[in-house]
Amino acid sequence: MVRFVPGTRALRTLEAAARHLNFTRAADELGLTPAAVSHQIKEFEDQLGLALFARTSRTVRLTEAGAVLSEASADAIDLLNRAVSRAQKLARGQSLLKVTADAHFAAKWLMRRIDGFRAIRPDIELRFDISYEVRDFDRDDVDVGIRFGAGKYPGLAADRLFDNVIVPVCSPALLRNGPPLTTPRDLFSHRLVHIEWSRRGVTWPNWRMWMAAAGVDDFDDSRTMVFGTSSDAIQAAIDGSAVALADFAMVAHDLSEGRLVQPFELGVRMAPEFGYFLVYPQSAADDPRIIAFRGWVLDEAAKTRT
């Protein structure tokens, strides 16, 4: 979450130029022209009476003075951002709780249940930061978050919500009108979609892995379609154009309301070290707002598991 603290323009320009060692790339990051970056650096140098960059026709490098001041600029900007975050949290009082979550989790799980929290705790006003970017609780104006990962975040408490079990889903119309789905091999007659994701040597379950778990050893995965996000894969299943592999927790609501059906009970578990976690600063563990939200989220996660 980029925050520009008033009065730090020159510091931000110096820090970006020093990090990139390229005025054009620094300009792109800051939303300026290269000429504007060059002018600001020159103005900074003139005011200090120091050369911060050594320029040639092709390269830019930091002088010793530039290295010292660019490092100090980065530290100062970080310190100011953290102070602004603390000030914003103090200013908004104790009735507001800001929750950050990625768009997929928010749409498929959190927002479909959030009215339940509002019903039992009308005294707590919720605001949401929906983004795939991982927020920094020290720097960003957020109180609690839900992240997918390994659950090891220094300085943060992390409560696992549920295991990730990947199951096949499709629309009821496809099940009624399409080729029958009686055995796993019947899936060969359908368009199959999944996502590709891997981290730390762990791969998100795909159709080849699901077929192997189902005892099908001659599956040709070259005919499967790969989607960029789970939301797109699930939507393809809802639209009736495909059978998708989806995280059961993320489609539980669609299954319960009949938008999707699960043609086979078999699910493939994600590696246990990865999952969705409720995270918040350990220093804020006794915050009554976080205690209330944590208790509600964990109760809802337990309902999803069952």
Side-chain angles (χ1 to χ4, degrees):
M1 189 182 300
V2 178
R3 178 187 296 116
F4 291 154
V5 179
T8 61
R9 184 188 68 171
L11 294 179
R12 289 187 287 105
T13 301
L14 173 58
E15 188 278 331
R19 179 160 34 85
H20 291 291
L21 290 178
N22 183 292
F23 288 179
T24 298
R25 287 199 291 270
D28 289 341
E29 177 182 314
L30 297 170
L32 302 172
T33 65
V37 170
S38 180
H39 175 75
Q40 288 184 24
I41 294 296
K42 183 64 168 62
E43 187 177 51
F44 205 159
E45 291 176 322
D46 290 343
Q47 290 173 353
L48 294 173
L50 295 169
L52 304 180
F53 292 89
R55 304 163 177 83
T56 69
S57 59
R58 294 185 177 181
T59 63
V60 174
R61 64 178 177 82
L62 284 167
T63 64
E64 290 184 351
V68 170
L69 285 172
S70 64
E71 182 178 352
S73 295
D75 290 343
I77 292 168
D78 181 66
L79 183 62
L80 284 168
N81 282 334
R82 292 175 188 273
V84 169
S85 176
R86 290 197 299 272
Q88 288 175 329
K89 291 175 183 178
L90 289 170
R92 56 180 165 84
Q94 293 298 307
S95 63
L96 176 63
L97 184 72
K98 295 194 75 171
V99 181
T100 180
D102 69 60
H104 178 61
F105 186 91
K108 287 297 181 182
W109 195 88
L110 183 59
M111 293 307 178
R112 295 183 174 187
R113 295 166 171 79
I114 204 64
D115 285 345
F117 179 79
R118 289 184 169 128
I120 62 174
R121 292 303 303 266
D123 56 311
I124 298 178
E125 179 186 356
L126 293 177
R127 291 186 187 171
F128 298 95
D129 169 67
I130 307 302
S131 174
Y132 286 106
E133 293 184 18
V134 175
R135 301 310 193 196
D136 184 330
F137 289 97
D138 288 334
R139 293 169 56 93
D140 300 320
D141 186 22
V142 293
D143 300 301
V144 64
I146 297 172
R147 294 180 181 173
F148 183 83
K152 297 178 181 178
Y153 309 108
L156 301 182
D159 297 304
R160 190 184 186 97
L161 299 184
F162 32 66
D163 294 330
N164 299 96
V165 181
I166 313 306
V167 299
V169 294
C170 64
S171 73
L174 184 145
L175 200 61
R176 287 193 307 268
N177 305 324
L181 284 174
T182 305
T183 71
R185 287 185 176 275
D186 293 334
L187 289 163
F188 291 9
S189 301
H190 292 268
R191 179 181 292 112
L192 305 180
V193 303
H194 62 92
I195 65 167
E196 283 188 353
W197 180 93
S198 62
R199 189 180 300 171
R200 300 181 189 176
V202 174
T203 299
W204 190 271
N206 53 36
W207 277 110
R208 179 180 52 79
M209 297 165 66
W210 189 90
M211 288 291 182
V216 179
D217 56 9
D218 58 345
F219 176 65
D220 179 9
D221 63 1
S222 65
R223 297 177 58 191
T224 61
M225 295 182 63
V226 178
F227 280 73
T229 68
S230 294
S231 295
D232 290 337
I234 293 170
Q235 190 59 50
I238 291 174
D239 292 343
S241 61
V243 182
L245 282 179
D247 185 346
F248 177 81
M250 296 299 103
V251 295
H253 200 71
D254 293 311
L255 290 168
S256 67
E257 295 196 346
R259 284 184 292 272
L260 289 172
V261 293
Q262 187 178 336
F264 301 102
E265 290 297 319
L266 175 66
V268 179
R269 289 185 179 272
M270 183 69 179
E273 60 264 37
F274 285 95
Y276 281 103
F277 291 85
L278 178 73
V279 295
Y280 48 91
Q282 291 175 346
S283 59
D286 59 351
D287 185 320
R289 299 165 303 164
I290 292 178
I291 291 173
F293 188 75
R294 175 183 180 272
W296 174 80
V297 166
L298 294 182
D299 284 347
E300 290 298 313
K303 293 175 186 177
T304 300
R305 289 195 300 269
T306 57

